[in-house]
Amino acid sequence: MTDDKLDWPLYEIFIRARSGLDHKHVGSLHATDARMAIEHARDLYTRRQEGVSIWAVRSSEIVASDPGEADALFEPARDKIYRHPTFYDIPDEVKTL
Amino acid sequence: MTPHATYVLRLADTNLVLAQRLGEWVGHAPALEEDLGLANVALDLLGQARLLLAHAGDLEGRSRDEDALAYLREESEFLNLTLVEQPNGDFGRTIVRQFLFDAWQSALLEALAASSDPKLAAIAAKAAKESRYHLRYSSGWLIRLGDGTPESRARVTDALVRLWPFTGELFDADDVDRSAAAVGIGPAPDALAAAWNTTVDRVLAEATLTRPAPAGFGWHGKQGRHSEHLGYLLAEMQSLHRAHPGATW
């Protein structure tokens, strides 16, 4: 195979395992266009019945936070424990919280 | 062998030989993703072939199982369509061969789902979903390559001209076909032509490719008279089983 010579764009693949669940990131693949990305994702990531829905997103379209800014972005939340909803009594009937 | 068993064996052999051809791409496809894509199609076809071979063996009633039928018959006993034994060539030619086949098989399986043979109808109903995906895959590629670069366009145009003569056999009825159609086991071959033509013309138009002129054909693979390519394919496919009968791993 000549994978290194491919100039096909990279897509990030998200799979929904079953209805009602979120799409989860499962990996990435190369494809020339959106339709091929879905077909490749089907062949690569759903061959063992892993999913019922596929999202494909061009990797270049993803905006990522800067690891160098992690302190500024995430540190301040550490000591704000009151933001966690842990001070409520959950009724037994509520299963999915 | 009854016409019924022969009819089912033709379907089985056609799937088996095409699966073997597609399997030759494993490790050689232009991209890792295509390696898996082609292998998935091959495995779908092989799965269908196994069910059909087992069914043909039952109908024959000589206690030949799927392995005996796949590995212990000679070239002239194979009854696959001549189209599917044609060599892979480049990726474009493999796609053209696959597309011409998928357009036919998806129409065939739809008809076979209403077969008077309940086993065959059940196999067809399951396989039809796989075939619809195969057609989506091969037509997507044909459109990309036909409406692609001058190089890709030239290659699929050449492939279309080379493979077109083999499509005549898809719609050519002989006694086996007529007798299967008479009792509702399978559709008359020419009854599939309209659906096939619609699919082919639609995809060729989108791929900006020209439909080749009708061509005569001199191959009758489904009657055991093959092109020169099948023997090599069978030698590779059967050698392990013949050297080590019943080998498993």
Side-chain angles (χ1 to χ4, degrees):
Chain A
M1 272 171 287
T2 53
D3 235 11
D4 52 329
K5 279 188 264 169
L6 276 184
D7 52 1
W8 297 358
L10 195 64
Y11 283 79
E12 301 299 324
I13 304 302
F14 301 80
I15 301 284
R16 164 180 278 169
R18 53 191 161 84
S19 300
L21 296 182
D22 296 334
H23 285 75
K24 288 247 166 31
H25 185 242
V26 293
S28 55
L29 52 78
H30 291 93
T32 61
D33 52 52
R35 171 177 170 155
M36 195 194 294
I38 295 289
E39 290 171 3
H40 284 163
R42 182 258 193 195
D43 287 339
L44 282 162
Y45 294 117
T46 69
R47 43 188 284 144
R48 297 180 188 87
Q49 295 186 296
E50 289 93 336
V52 296
S53 169
I54 299 168
W55 285 352
V57 183
R58 281 279 286 268
S59 306
S60 58
E61 297 295 318
I62 293 200
V63 182
S65 63
D66 179 356
E69 289 184 303
D71 281 356
L73 287 170
F74 309 119
E75 246 339 89
R78 271 187 78 166
D79 58 355
K80 297 179 176 62
I81 190 170
Y82 49 86
R83 289 179 180 170
H84 292 274
T86 53
F87 306 102
Y88 299 94
D89 292 325
I90 310 290
D92 290 341
E93 292 77 17
V94 180
K95 303 286 186 207
T96 52
L97 261 183
Chain B
M1 210 184 272
T2 62
H4 187 178
T6 304
Y7 183 82
V8 175
L9 190 56
R10 286 177 175 181
L11 300 175
D13 285 348
T14 296
N15 271 27
L16 178 62
V17 168
L18 186 53
Q20 178 72 14
R21 275 284 181 241
L22 291 173
E24 292 171 12
W25 274 107
V26 172
H28 300 279
L32 177 62
E33 288 85 347
E34 290 311 322
D35 225 73
L36 282 152
L38 291 166
N40 268 345
V41 176
L43 286 172
D44 284 348
L45 294 174
L46 186 63
Q48 297 168 16
R50 291 186 59 185
L51 296 170
L52 291 164
L53 280 174
H55 186 38
D58 288 343
L59 290 170
E60 185 194 39
R62 287 175 49 200
S63 323
R64 288 202 283 184
D65 64 6
E66 53 186 278
D67 279 358
L69 288 169
Y71 296 129
L72 299 175
R73 281 181 300 150
E74 304 299 326
E75 182 184 345
S76 61
E77 298 170 275
F78 268 77
L79 305 179
N80 56 283
L81 294 168
T82 320
L83 172 69
V84 299
E85 73 200 36
Q86 298 311 302
N88 287 336
D90 55 23
F91 183 74
R93 203 192 299 181
T94 292
I95 288 297
V96 170
R97 185 187 63 204
Q98 194 61 35
F99 169 71
L100 296 173
F101 171 80
D102 292 338
W104 172 80
Q105 199 206 25
S106 53
L108 170 73
L109 292 174
E110 210 172 295
L112 282 179
S115 170
S116 60
D117 171 348
K119 187 95 186 263
L120 185 56
I123 295 170
K126 176 181 182 291
K129 295 181 203 122
E130 296 170 342
S131 185
R132 276 204 297 278
Y133 179 76
H134 301 165
L135 180 59
R136 177 195 154 106
Y137 170 85
S138 59
S139 54
W141 263 114
L142 187 57
I143 291 163
R144 278 183 209 105
L145 295 172
D147 193 15
T149 65
E151 175 76 19
S152 71
R153 182 183 175 77
R155 288 187 183 223
V156 289
T157 300
D158 173 66
L160 204 53
V161 171
R162 279 173 184 270
L163 294 172
W164 194 258
F166 297 102
T167 60
E169 192 186 5
L170 307 182
F171 309 107
D172 184 58
D174 63 8
D175 286 345
V176 170
D177 295 309
R178 279 188 283 270
S179 122
V183 290
I185 291 167
D190 60 358
L192 303 173
W196 187 80
N197 280 318
T198 303
T199 305
V200 167
D201 288 342
R202 174 177 55 80
V203 174
L204 288 185
E206 209 177 325
T208 68
L209 293 167
T210 311
R211 183 185 168 111
F217 65 100
W219 303 274
H220 300 272
K222 66 182 179 183
Q223 295 169 355
R225 284 179 283 146
H226 293 280
S227 63
E228 68 270 32
H229 305 294
L230 183 65
Y232 297 101
L233 179 146
L234 293 181
E236 186 169 320
M237 186 177 83
Q238 297 181 332
S239 62
L240 184 81
H241 185 89
R242 291 189 181 226
H244 308 278
T248 57
W249 67 87

